[in-house]
Structure formats: structure tokens, C-alpha cells
């Protein structure tokens, strides 16, 4: 019989190795992207939680480059889809193709059959095509002609959208927004970060050639599996669970919101806080973990009242006010 002490030590070593591999993703991504550490951390948290990410930022802040750098740092298959108004659902999911030689139909997989799908400018395609991702994101399968086809594991959708240019766009419906585990805002860089970006370009950095930038795969499916197993063992006290519920219930009672976070949102917040706790080296969740992930996990799950929006209130400001008033467990 195996010695439990030895077994625990091996599990701890495996967990530490997986954590080290995922932390090294930041170093690799920083070779291409400067000053977007919160977004990088959010992508890693999403990988740990088997969730999907919506990246929002003005043009030119490296949203697409960020996802491409993540893909280059992982030993995972990746595909990119540029969402346009004429994109059809079958262009994403795949379709049945008639083979004249065999006189039979065969399934031709679409780009969604990958580990990491970059859905670029997702709000530029009509709702019919947007909805083609719903089953893939939630059920991790695609049904064509009545036959469900499972997607590879791991599977993550990283979608980007532009928050300032609304002409010719189709805002994501609440049902689809709720499928994203996190909504990460990608801000303009600080002055020093922008100087660093320009310096790199002056020295020959080519964002289209990440291999030349020195980015190498530093983690793979085995690391992700070990990390997810370790995250699942991270303990959550009843007080922390109640704290998450109180925060989400407070969003439903806020006078500034017409829509608060659903129980799915509460589950998501618990999962992301758990992943963040493990990433920071703890095997238990504390209130600060919940606070750290509350904004990216909940900001797209709440809806502002029109009058509050006109007064300059934002989803982030409402959630921050709730975090300041909900009693913190001791």
C-alpha cells in the first residue's frame, strides 16, 4: 500500500510544478505584450476554470496579440475567426459536404474544433452567427444534422470586441454574455509602457512573428489537467460561500441595476476566486480572492438602468460600491 504522506508530497509537487508552468505564461506573453498583466491573469484563470473570456478595449491595445501570445505559449491547437456581417454559422461550426465520388455526405469541421478559438470582433457578426457559439461554449459540442460532435479538451473561446465603435455592430445578448466566465477590459497603456512598446518596435519586434520574438510553449494539456485538479481541492469555507451569495444578491437589489447577477454568476465568482487563490499559492479561499475577481466575473452579468447610465454610473462603480457595503467575513 502506498504511503499517504508520500502520495500527498507527490500531489503537492505536481501542483507546484503546474503552478510554476502557468505562472511562466506571464513571462512568455510579456515578450510580446507590455503592461496588460490583469488581462493575462484573467486568461489563465479562465483556463483553470474551463471558462471563456470576452476582451474589450479600443482598437490598437493588443487584444488580438494577447490571445495569439497566449496560444503561442501553450502546446495547444488554436484557430482564429474574423467575425464579419456576412459570416454564416456553418463557417464557424462546420457543415456537411457532399462527396460525388462516394455519393455520401461527410462532416467538414469548422474552426470551432480547436483548443483555443480567437473570435475576433465578435460583435460585428449577426445574432444568428453569434448564437452558433452558444452550444459550443456551454455544452462543448456542436450539433450538425442532429448529430452532436464533441469539441476537443481543453476548449476556450477568447472573443474580442470594440467598446467605442457601434456602427455596423450587433451587441451580444444577455444570454451570450452570461456564457463568458470573465469580461476583461484592456486599457490604454501607461506612458512608460507605451514607450516600451515603441522601443520594441524600433528594435525590430514584429507582432506577426511571435516565434522570432522568442515566445515558446511553456505549458500544455498535462499542466492544465494537474492545475485544474489542484484548484478543485482548494477549500472554500461556508462563510466565503455566503459572502459570494450576499454580493450577488446585492446586485439584484441595487437601484442602479435592472438586472443583477444570476446564480450562474455566483457560481462563476466562486470558481474564479478559487482559481486565483490557488495561483497565489494558497489551498483555501479568502475574501480578498472574491474581491479581486468580482469585477471581471460580474461586470457583464449586470445591466444598468438607463437613467443611471445617463448619470455616468458604470457597472464597475456599482459593483465596487456593493463590495464596500457587503459585510466581509472574518
Amino acid at each position: 500500500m502506498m504511503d499517504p504522506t508520500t502520495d500527498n508530497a507527490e500531489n503537492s509537487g505536481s501542483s507546484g510544478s503546474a503552478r510554476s508552468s502557468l505562472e511562466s505564461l506571464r513571462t512568455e506573453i510579456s515578450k510580446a505584450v507590455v503592461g496588460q498583466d490583469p488581462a493575462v491573469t484573467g486568461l489563465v484563470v479562465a483556463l483553470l476554470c474551463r471558462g471563456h473570456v470576452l476582451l474589450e478595449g479600443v482598437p490598437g491595445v493588443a487584444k488580438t496579440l494577447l490571445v495569439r501570445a497566449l496560444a503561442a505559449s501553450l502546446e495547444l491547437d488554436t484557430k482564429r475567426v474574423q467575425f464579419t456581417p456576412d459570416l454564416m454559422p456553418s463557417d464557424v461550426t462546420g457543415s456537411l459536404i457532399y462527396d460525388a465520388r462516394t455519393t455520401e455526405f461527410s462532416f467538414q469541421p469548422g474552426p470551432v474544433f480547436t483548443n483555443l478559438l480567437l473570435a475576433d470582433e465578435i460583435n460585428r457578426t449577426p445574432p444568428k452567427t453569434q448564437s452558433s457559439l452558444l452550444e459550443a461554449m456551454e455544452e462543448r459540442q456542436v450539433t450538425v444534422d442532429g448529430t452532436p460532435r464533441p469539441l476537443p479538451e481543453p476548449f476556450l473561446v477568447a472573443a474580442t470586441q470594440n467598446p467605442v465603435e457601434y456602427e455596423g455592430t450587433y451587441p451580444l445578448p444577455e444570454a451570450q454574455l452570461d456564457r463568458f466566465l470573465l469580461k476583461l477590459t484592456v486599457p490604454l497603456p501607461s506612458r512608460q509602457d507605451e514607450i516600451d512598446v515603441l522601443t520594441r518596435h524600433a528594435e525590430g519586434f514584429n507582432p506577426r512573428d511571435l516565434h522570432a520574438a522568442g515566445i515558446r510553449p511553456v505549458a500544455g494539456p498535462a499542466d492544465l489537467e494537474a492545475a485544474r485538479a489542484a484548484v478543485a481541492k482548494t477549500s472554500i469555507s461556508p462563510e466565503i460561500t455566503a459572502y459570494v451569495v450576499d454580493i450577488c444578491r446585492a446586485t439584484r437589489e441595487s437601484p442602479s441595476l435592472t438586472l443583477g447577477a444570476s446564480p450562474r454568476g455566483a457560481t462563476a465568482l466562486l470558481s474564479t476566486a478559487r482559481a486565483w487563490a490557488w495561483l497565489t499559492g494558497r489551498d483555501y479561499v479568502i475574501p480578498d480572492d472574491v474581491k479581486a475577481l468580482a469585477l471581471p466575473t460580474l461586470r457583464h452579468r449586470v445591466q444598468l438602468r438607463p437613467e443611471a447610465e445617463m448619470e455616468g454610473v458604470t457597472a464597475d462603480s456599482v459593483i465596487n460600491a456593493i463590495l464596500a457595503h457587503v459585510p466581509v467575513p472574518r
Side-chain angles (χ1 to χ4, degrees):
M1 182 179 295
M2 184 177 289
D3 183 359
T5 306
T6 305
D7 189 30
N8 288 339
E10 288 178 356
N11 289 339
S12 176
S14 173
S15 172
S17 174
R19 185 185 291 113
S20 175
S21 296
L22 290 177
E23 285 176 346
S24 62
L25 283 175
R26 300 184 191 183
T27 305
E28 290 301 304
I29 294 173
S30 68
K31 295 177 182 178
V33 181
V34 178
Q36 299 293 357
D37 288 343
V40 174
T41 300
L43 285 167
V44 174
V45 167
L47 281 169
L48 291 174
C49 297
R50 293 183 170 87
H52 310 287
V53 175
L54 181 62
L55 293 163
E56 185 175 270
V58 299
V61 290
K63 299 186 298 296
T64 303
L65 180 60
L66 179 61
V67 179
R68 289 179 54 238
L70 173 68
S73 304
L74 292 166
E75 293 175 329
L76 299 176
D77 183 46
T78 180
K79 290 186 175 67
R80 178 179 182 271
V81 178
Q82 183 66 49
F83 279 72
T84 57
D86 60 348
L87 194 74
M88 298 297 291
S90 58
D91 295 331
V92 178
T93 61
S95 58
L96 295 174
I97 305 295
Y98 180 71
D99 189 336
R101 292 175 300 177
T102 62
T103 67
E104 293 180 351
F105 286 91
S106 61
F107 178 67
Q108 183 67 35
V112 76
F113 285 86
T114 187
N115 297 124
L116 177 57
L117 177 68
L118 171 55
D120 214 0
E121 295 189 288
I122 192 173
N123 58 334
R124 289 204 171 278
T125 200
K128 182 178 182 180
T129 305
Q130 290 177 4
S131 65
S132 68
L133 278 176
L134 282 177
E135 181 187 18
M137 292 170 68
E138 189 65 20
E139 307 297 333
R140 299 179 184 272
Q141 66 177 24
V142 168
T143 301
V144 177
D145 196 33
T147 303
R149 293 174 168 85
L151 294 171
E153 179 62 36
F155 174 68
L156 179 143
V157 174
T160 70
Q161 71 174 13
N162 179 352
V164 294
E165 190 180 3
Y166 292 109
E167 186 176 349
T169 63
Y170 305 84
L172 295 175
E174 298 302 326
Q176 179 131 356
L177 281 173
D178 204 38
R179 295 303 195 279
F180 287 98
L181 179 73
L182 299 171
K183 179 181 177 181
L184 304 173
T185 56
V186 185
L188 289 165
S190 66
R191 181 177 182 273
Q192 185 55 54
D193 286 340
E194 196 164 358
I195 289 173
D196 291 344
V197 171
L198 268 62
T199 301
R200 290 187 182 192
H201 279 264
E203 292 172 351
F205 171 71
N206 182 0
R208 295 170 186 82
D209 189 357
L210 297 180
H211 184 78
I215 296 182
R216 301 289 184 270
V218 293
D223 297 304
L224 275 178
E225 213 43 54
R228 288 170 173 177
V231 169
K233 295 176 182 176
T234 302
S235 63
I236 304 170
S237 69
E239 291 79 13
I240 293 294
T241 303
Y243 182 50
V244 170
V245 169
D246 289 343
I247 290 171
C248 292
R249 291 182 70 85
T251 64
R252 301 168 205 161
E253 298 164 1
S254 171
S256 299
L257 302 176
T258 58
L259 179 70
S262 68
R264 179 188 285 165
T267 303
L269 181 53
L270 199 65
S271 297
T272 56
R274 200 179 206 180
W276 175 242
W278 179 81
L279 272 175
T280 53
R282 277 180 282 100
D283 60 357
Y284 56 92
V285 180
I286 62 175
D288 282 349
D289 299 325
V290 178
K291 290 181 178 180
L293 273 297
L295 285 179
T297 307
L298 300 180
R299 59 163 60 107
H300 57 297
R301 304 176 193 271
V302 301
Q303 194 171 69
L304 288 167
R305 291 188 182 278
E307 55 270 29
E309 200 165 3
M310 289 176 64
E311 293 172 1
V313 176
T314 65
D316 284 13
S317 65
V318 173
I319 295 169
N320 278 326
I322 287 171
L323 291 175
H325 286 91
V326 172
V328 179
R330 298 184 180 278

